Amino acid sequence: MDALFPFGFPEPTRFYLALYVATLVLHVVFMHYVLAGTAFLAGRGLLARLGIDTERPAYLLREWMPLMLSAAITAGIAPLLFVQIVYQERFYTANLLLFNRWMAILPTLLIGFYMLYLLKVNADVLKRPLIRQAIRVLTFVCFAFVAWSWTENHLLSVQSLGVWTEHYASGALMFKTPELAPRLALWFCGSFPTLAAWLAWQIRLTATDDEHREIDHPSVARLLAGIGLVGLLSAALCAAAYYAMLGDAERELMTGPPAGPWFIIAIVGAVIQSAGWIVIWKQNALPRGLLLIVSIALLVTLCGTAVVREAIRLARVDITTLYNAHTQAAAVSGLGAFVFFLVVNTALMLFCIRLVRTKVESRGTRV
Ligand code: HEM
């Protein structure tokens, strides 16, 4: 594997790996909103004690969260399909070994989903501060549990047969490994810069005409810059801790020809994001051009990180043994149907967005 990811693989493997990583990034963009957004809602009491006004972002989060959770779940389906094509029994084996603990994701997601609606309801009993805070915390716990489950499942899926056998024989419900904490912490901290960018756009684009005249949004610019910067800094610390834990094979792939350039662009993206948030902090404003730069840099970081994540897995899994299976999968027709539905569904989504935009604009609210 000397070529840049995903070029160093036979055509079918390259195709599936590229689609897997691209669709995973899409899942991450929405999943980050849910994970960091529910953490923000659970922790906003602490910010209030520091005298920070969180009303506007909190309102947007409550309103948008059910939709964004649906998007995160829906966007999870495509990588779920591709990961099974690319890694085959590795994914299923981890699912089966974790069994009840893995299946607990489903009821947890249902409870989390329901909690999101409770956050929006204005019933008297739910207005009591203690109950409201309990709902906020429980909501976050649900999604943190789901994130933990995906990380645990992933780490188990890349183990050797010996570790799987040992895990099965022990009858353990959970798979414990020192890698879990820094990896999960990295996902958690890394979700805040994404949340900050999402909220900045939502605040800009959903401002009413009156608010929009005051285009700087000084009431929230520093809060969002703070969220972005703290997230980037803490994610960098977690990444360093995680890197220190990895073996030579993983580091070689991450920094060598296949993923090294991706690693560099991930870091460059993070540096540009940090610079962007610092300027936003200094200007105490959310200018469109700057937000655009921060958002592009964010996407670059997410893509680079997703490839580096894959390089760590590829250092542990001998993908050459799966080349034949990929070739067979590619020989099963269906690409035509896939492209057809991709085009139709994209067109339908764009139509729906346009429809909502036109209706809301005609009611006098900017979208
Ligand atoms: C809000 C709920 C969810 C959260 C917080 C969440 C979180 C995560 C996290 C943290 C990872 C990365 C694991 C790692 O690399 O260590 C991940 C990966 C993934 N998630 Fe989600 N997820 C959620 C819902 C879903 C759902 C419902 C699906 C499927 C429909 C899904 C599909 C995937 C897939 C396929 C991966 C990659 C797995 C792999 O490569 O091993 N996620 N998710």
Side-chain angles (χ1 to χ4, degrees), residues 27-200:
H27 168 57
V28 167
V29 166
F30 293 104
M31 175 273 275
H32 272 178
Y33 185 95
V34 175
L35 192 59
T38 51
F40 179 88
L41 288 175
R44 72 179 275 238
L46 297 175
L47 294 174
R49 277 191 202 165
L50 297 172
I52 299 170
D53 177 13
T54 54
E55 200 48 56
R56 200 149 168 222
Y59 170 76
L60 281 169
L61 284 169
R62 279 196 307 269
E63 289 300 309
W64 280 75
M65 201 55 90
L67 175 76
M68 297 302 252
L69 175 61
S70 310
I73 294 174
T74 309
I77 304 288
L80 184 62
L81 298 179
F82 289 123
V83 78
Q84 292 174 72
I85 295 178
V86 177
Y87 296 107
Q88 314 234 332
E89 77 272 12
R90 290 212 154 254
F91 189 75
Y92 315 129
T93 308
N95 292 184
L96 291 171
L97 285 172
L98 291 175
F99 193 48
N100 292 332
R101 187 251 170 288
W102 176 243
M103 294 309 291
I105 281 190
L106 294 177
T108 310
L109 271 177
L110 288 176
I111 295 169
F113 222 136
Y114 190 71
M115 290 289 151
L116 296 181
Y117 286 101
L118 286 189
L119 285 175
K120 291 175 72 171
V121 173
N122 260 334
D124 280 346
V125 62
L126 297 175
K127 280 185 188 155
R128 289 184 200 162
L130 216 66
I131 295 184
R132 191 132 280 231
Q133 183 58 17
I135 294 174
R136 286 181 191 143
V137 172
L138 186 60
T139 312
F140 166 62
V141 169
C142 286
F143 298 118
F145 176 84
V146 177
W148 168 34
S149 308
W150 278 103
T151 298
E152 191 175 327
N153 183 77
H154 175 86
L155 288 174
L156 183 57
S157 77
V158 294
Q159 301 302 319
S160 64
L161 183 62
V163 174
W164 284 349
T165 316
E166 209 177 292
H167 179 83
Y168 180 69
S170 73
L173 196 63
M174 284 180 271
F175 174 61
K176 292 185 184 138
T177 159
E179 263 184 72
L180 196 114
R183 190 176 169 110
L184 188 56
L186 176 53
W187 276 112
F188 178 65
C189 297
S191 61
F192 285 90
T194 316
L195 176 72
W198 265 116
L199 281 174

